[in-house]
Amino acid sequence: MTCHHDLIVIGAGPGGYELAAAVAACGLDVAIVERDAPGGTCLNRGCIPTKCLCAAADAALSATNPAPGVFARDMFMDFGAVRAHMQQTVDSLRDDIATALKSCTYYHAQASLTADGAVQLSSGQLLTATHVVIATGSTPAILPIDGADLAIDSDRALALDAVPASMAVIGGGVIGLEMASAFSALGCKVTVVEFLPEILPGFDADIARRLRSMLSRRGIKIITSAAATAIAPAGDASGAYTLCYTAKGKPQTLTADKILMAVGRRPVLPEGVESCGIAVDNRGFITVDELMRTSRPGVYAIGDVADRGPMLAHVASAQARLVAAQICSHSLQGIASDSASIPDIDFGTIPSVVFTNPGAYATGLTQAAAESAGYKVTVRKTPVISNGYARATAHTDGLVKVITDADSGRVLGIHYVGPQAPALVAQAQLIVSHRLTAAALSRTIFPHPTLTELLAL
Ligand SMILES: Cc1cc2nc3c(=O)[nH]c(=O)nc-3n(C[C@H](O)[C@H](O)[C@H](O)COP(=O)(O)OP(=O)(O)OC[C@H]3O[C@@H](n4cnc5c(N)ncnc54)[C@H](O)[C@@H]3O)c2cc1C
């Protein structure tokens, strides 16, 4: 029997479940289909479990070096308890999602699309809807090299039940570096192998360079301009692996207990997408317009699977709110939504945070992007050591970089590496997204002594 809903959402990650809950709150009949556990990558294999690991890593680092004049006698880490905390955190947040979705019909099944746009469930049911939203997310990408199947991906790294003695991380992007930073702090000998000349592609060059040197000083070996070419068992009784790579044109090898491949993510499409007339780009992402509409009327795509915006949970959630506003206004007023009344997403100021120790953040244009966009830029770099709170707490390494349009005075971008990056990013993002000028910043009274004063002009 075919069941009809106002909206069917495929995928219960941060894009899908936020959208389903928001539209159900408008009184519409919403179904959500999830083949795995609710919460998606973010809750089950991404943002939340990695931050449990990063929090354990931060605690381990501060336990071994608490503060000038304070010495820890014994530091003991029970990785089983770290994993248990991770699981409890995930479970409790899953309960919150179940509560948020209580007004929706929840199908635990795999969904595919039929040629006429209906949603076929693996359980056999056929669903139809006025609106369909594809929020099926992404999965780790795999480098096509010999022995790739011997590597673990971020999903498996988060499921390890012990900290390996050594790990090679292929990829110096955000996920690879967060894993490298956390496992290193927990006692693992980590080497990062990055293909590009610098880590953190897309970040401001000064911030990436400084973070690389700070992580190197923590004992993480970072090899840049190096291409992984093959993975093979080391051939001894240890069960370790050999990673072959070329650096500066020369073949090299290194041996590690685990090889983590963190080379980006690829979209996950429900079966039948293309045959029901939904356009997909040449990298496999669903093509959407500025309102997240696909090429098939009534079908939207949001989050990692869509070809708009960085692959981040808060981007998926913002896109969910954008689509929810359209569906609610369309259905409640019985008119086609007026795109002018729907708030746009400012992709240019979406914040990115790197939860390494120390961490980093970025919002707005990098210096290179501002210059290539034709701005005459003023660049102010302030070392963290200039700040009183940083000196008082003895966390003085780092840098904040403020990029300003010299003509209008508008702050175009703020980039940071140093202590408390995740807590500081929202301040920077508000400045950039609300188009504040350097003059407005200089009128702002920042509380003393805090790291927020690093932005005082
Ligand atoms: C290790 C790691 C750390 C991360 N850390 C951060 C971070 O700190 N901050 C941040 O903003 N982002 C982070 N991310 C990225 C973030 O997790 C994703 O951007 C976010 O989860 C995307 O949300 P989504 O709703 O688009 O998709 P997902 O969260 O991937 O959810 C998609 C859901 O769809 C389901 N699904 C797929 N196909 C079907 C089908 N055919 N039928 C039914 N269900 C289906 C999947 O099972 C999944 O549950 C991290 C990612 C990783 C891997």
Side-chain angles (χ1 to χ4, degrees), residues 29 46 70 72 133 157 161 172 198 202 228 235 311 318 320 346 371 396 406 413-414 425:
D29 172 9
V70 178
V133 178
D161 50 20
E198 189 50 274
M311 295 166 105
D346 180 3
E371 285 169 351
T396 50
I414 305 180
V425 62

Side-chain angles (χ1 to χ4, degrees), residues 10-17 33-48 50-51 107 109-112 135-140 154-155 158 174-175 178-179 265 268-271 302-306 310-317 319 351 353 355:
I10 308 175
Y17 75 73
V33 190
E34 170 57 58
R35 65 182 179 188
D36 197 347
T41 304
C42 170
L43 176 55
N44 299 294
R45 301 171 293 279
C47 322
I48 300 298
T50 47
K51 275 54 193 187
Y107 295 96
Q110 165 129 344
S112 56
T136 44
S138 63
T139 193
S154 58
D155 297 358
L158 288 168
V174 176
I175 293 175
E178 287 185 2
M179 294 282 186
R265 297 183 60 81
V268 172
L269 300 185
E271 214 177 292
I302 59 170
D304 285 6
V305 75
M311 295 166 105
L312 290 168
H314 43 282
V315 173
S317 301
Q319 293 172 342
V353 185
F355 289 76

